[in-house]
Amino acid sequence: MTHAIVDIGANLAHDSFDDDRDAVLDRARDAGVAKIVVTGSSDDSNRQAATLAQAHPGFLYSTAGVHPHHASDYDDNSSALIRELAASGQIVAVGECGLDYFRNFSPRDAQLEAFQSQLDIAVDTGLPVFLHQRDAHDDFVEVLEPALPKLSRAVAHCFTGEHESLREYLAMGLYIGVTGWICDERRGAHLKDIVPVVPDDRLMIETDAPYLLPRSISPRPRTRRNEPMHLVEVLRTVAEARGQSIEHVAAITTANAERFFNLI
């Protein structure tokens, strides 16, 4: 594989990578993944993601945020840590942040409060925001919309929604992140139908590793742990669904990621 691609969301601080993280990075490079944005989703993973990015300049970059699952833990220290990492230039986006009413691991009021606080940080720092939404579309839009004119850029990470919400996000100016969900013939088939709606200049791809291993990989990997090298399968599936060449989708998603996150 010769075309360089960018994984805009990989949870490389996850403990499932503790035993072979360097090998995972080597496999990603060998597969053509030129840059990886390491997702921060809690106080601990924000620190770990920043440390990883510092150890691999020009290859790994990091975000800092608190995922809605962890919103109950969000406090002034969480906010201060994100602002500190932003001020020191160590992160390329605020998030993962947003709302998740599918599982409600944190109470909704805590989720709403943490989301608003992180949007405020993104506005104050000028950093783009890395968004999560599941089964919370109306509240998500209600909180996000007033902030949009003041935000530099925003991406709907791991978009799994329907045509209507996709159109709404695009109208709001959001970028769209597509994961291996599109490779799942049971849950993601609808994404193949609607991914062509995303304009060339708003599309990005990601693995969300270690989650969402593409089901279309053949032969099936021995482990269910996803890793950045499998971004190639997401690329292939997205290109096929859009009726575009793999080279074209690699080029546009890489250009979009580099512009969105200001990757240098």
Side-chain angles (χ1 to χ4, degrees), residues 17-134:
F17 294 115
D18 285 352
D19 292 338
D20 64 344
R21 197 171 276 108
D22 287 342
V24 166
L25 296 180
D26 287 343
R27 287 194 289 272
R29 275 197 195 92
D30 291 346
V33 182
K35 294 175 181 178
I36 302 170
V37 180
V38 183
T39 310
S41 56
S42 64
D43 291 358
D44 284 346
S45 69
N46 290 338
R47 291 189 189 92
Q48 287 173 272
T51 301
L52 277 169
Q54 275 184 306
H56 300 272
F59 179 41
L60 299 186
Y61 302 82
S62 64
T63 73
V66 174
H67 189 288
H69 287 347
H70 305 297
S72 302
D73 302 325
Y74 191 92
D75 58 16
D76 290 346
N77 291 330
S78 309
S79 182
L81 174 62
I82 299 168
R83 287 183 183 276
E84 180 189 318
L85 290 168
S88 63
Q90 289 189 68
I91 56 172
V92 293
V94 173
E96 179 175 2
C97 62
L99 303 174
D100 192 313
Y101 293 174
F102 177 68
R103 298 200 189 276
N104 281 315
F105 285 148
S106 288
R108 292 185 180 188
D109 57 345
Q111 292 189 40
L112 289 161
E113 205 171 314
F115 185 24
Q116 184 62 62
S117 175
Q118 291 174 86
L119 290 176
D120 292 344
I121 295 172
V123 169
D124 291 348
T125 58
L127 286 169
V129 65
F130 192 70
L131 298 166
H132 173 102
Q133 187 278 121
R134 193 164 185 200

Side-chain angles (χ1 to χ4, degrees), residues 143-167:
V143 176
L144 178 61
E145 209 151 30
L148 281 173
K150 298 170 283 186
L151 287 166
S152 59
R153 296 171 297 287
V155 58
H157 143 70
C158 187
F159 180 82
T160 58
E162 301 292 338
H163 192 255
E164 195 179 337
S165 55
L166 177 61
R167 287 234 181 243

Side-chain angles (χ1 to χ4, degrees), residues 169-193:
Y169 290 168
L170 290 171
M172 290 165 69
L174 269 57
Y175 286 68
I176 305 296
V178 179
T179 61
W181 194 280
I182 198 171
C183 306
D184 187 332
E185 78 288 351
R186 306 160 307 167
R187 302 182 298 174
H190 69 287
L191 286 178
K192 289 185 178 177
D193 297 330

